[in-house]
Amino acid sequence: MSRIHPAENKSEGEARNGSSRRPDQCPTKFTVWKRSSMSFQGTDGFTVFDEHGRLVFRVDNYSRKGCCSAGGGLVLMDGAGNALMSLRPQILSMQCQWNAYRGEDECKEGQNLKLFSMRRVSSFLDRRRKDVAEVFVGGSKKPAFTVEGSFRSRNCVIRRSGSEEFVAKITRKRASPTVLLGTDVFNLVVQDGGNSDLVMAFVVIMDRICSKSLAVPVLCS
C-alpha cells in the first residue's frame, strides 16, 4: 500500500510560485485514515498522522451504530491513547446534535460543562445555505464555526462564523499526481492559529452526522 501520511515536500502551488507564508504562519497538515488503530476485524474509527508520519490522533470504536444512537458515543485520543474529548450524541435531537466534553468520563451530569455542541443544518429548508453543520461553543446560542461543502466527498471547509477565511480544510488525498485515494484516506489542513484537537473533534462528528444512512440526501452530499 502507498504511504498514506503527508510527504514533507512543498505543495504544487508553492513549488510553482514559492511560498508566501512566513514560517510562523505555516498550516498544520494531517492525513486522516478512516480506520481504527485496533487491527482486528469489526473495529471502526480514525487514525491520524502528521506530516512526519507520526500518529497524533486516534478514535477506536468497536461497533458502528446509528449516527444519532444514544449508545454511539466516541472518545478522541492523542497518539498515545490519552483521552482528549468525549463526543456524545444528543438523545432525541431532531438535528442530530452531538456534544463534546473534556476527557473521557466527564460528560456525566454535573461533572463538567460542554466544550461545544455541533449539529446538522437542515439545509433542505433553505437551499441557499452552503453550510451543512454549525458549532456552538460553551452556552452561546450563536454558532462559532460553520462547516461548508461536502464532507462525504471530502471537499469542505470549516470557517469561523461571519468570516470568509477558513480555519481548516478537508480534501481528497493523492498517492501520486495520477492516483487519487479513496475517501477513507483524506487530507486535513488546519490553518495557523487553529486548534487541531477541536478541528479533529469536528471531523469525527461530521463523519457521524453525514452518515450515508441519513434519509435526507441533500445533506452533506
Side-chain angles (χ1 to χ4, degrees), residues 130-147:
K130 295 184 292 183
D131 48 317
V132 294
E134 296 174 325
V135 180
F136 300 82
V137 176
S140 176
K141 295 184 178 180
K142 293 184 178 180
F145 301 92
T146 58
V147 182

Side-chain angles (χ1 to χ4, degrees), residues 10-185:
K10 295 182 179 180
S11 66
E12 294 180 4
E14 291 174 346
R16 288 194 302 265
N17 305 320
S19 175
S20 60
R21 289 182 176 272
R22 300 193 309 270
D24 61 347
Q25 290 183 308
C26 293
T28 306
K29 301 175 183 179
F30 301 100
T31 294
V32 183
W33 193 7
K34 185 66 182 67
R35 177 175 176 177
S36 170
S37 61
M38 308 293 288
S39 59
F40 53 87
Q41 187 176 6
T43 57
D44 171 57
F46 288 90
T47 305
V48 185
F49 302 94
D50 67 11
E51 59 187 313
H52 306 292
R54 296 174 298 210
L55 179 64
V56 289
F57 294 114
R58 291 168 45 191
V59 176
D60 297 323
N61 188 39
Y62 296 97
S63 63
R64 184 178 182 87
K65 300 184 179 182
C67 66
C68 296
S69 169
L74 299 168
V75 177
L76 174 64
M77 298 176 284
D78 63 18
N82 301 306
L84 299 174
M85 296 183 208
S86 294
L87 311 175
R88 304 281 179 174
Q90 180 75 39
I91 300 175
L92 302 179
S93 170
M94 294 298 292
Q95 290 179 289
C96 202
Q97 176 173 308
W98 282 64
N99 303 318
Y101 305 84
R102 192 179 308 281
E104 184 172 2
D105 296 315
E106 297 182 355
C107 58
K108 296 179 181 178
E109 185 176 357
Q111 287 192 357
N112 197 16
L113 296 176
K114 288 185 294 186
L115 294 176
F116 68 86
S117 295
M118 187 173 189
R119 70 186 185 190
R120 186 176 72 204
V121 172
S122 298
S123 57
F124 62 94
L125 297 178
D126 186 355
R127 295 180 182 274
R128 294 171 298 178
R129 297 192 67 158
K130 295 184 292 183
D131 48 317
V132 294
E134 296 174 325
V135 180
F136 300 82
V137 176
S140 176
K141 295 184 178 180
K142 293 184 178 180
F145 301 92
T146 58
V147 182
E148 178 182 312
S150 173
F151 177 80
R152 276 168 52 183
S153 298
R154 309 307 189 221
N155 181 24
C156 64
V157 295
I158 299 169
R159 304 184 193 275
R160 295 188 187 278
S161 293
S163 173
E164 290 299 318
E165 295 185 2
F166 64 86
V167 174
K169 187 174 185 179
I170 295 169
T171 60
R172 295 284 297 274
K173 185 172 181 63
R174 291 186 178 275
S176 71
T178 58
V179 178
L180 186 66
L181 299 180
T183 56
D184 59 328
V185 180

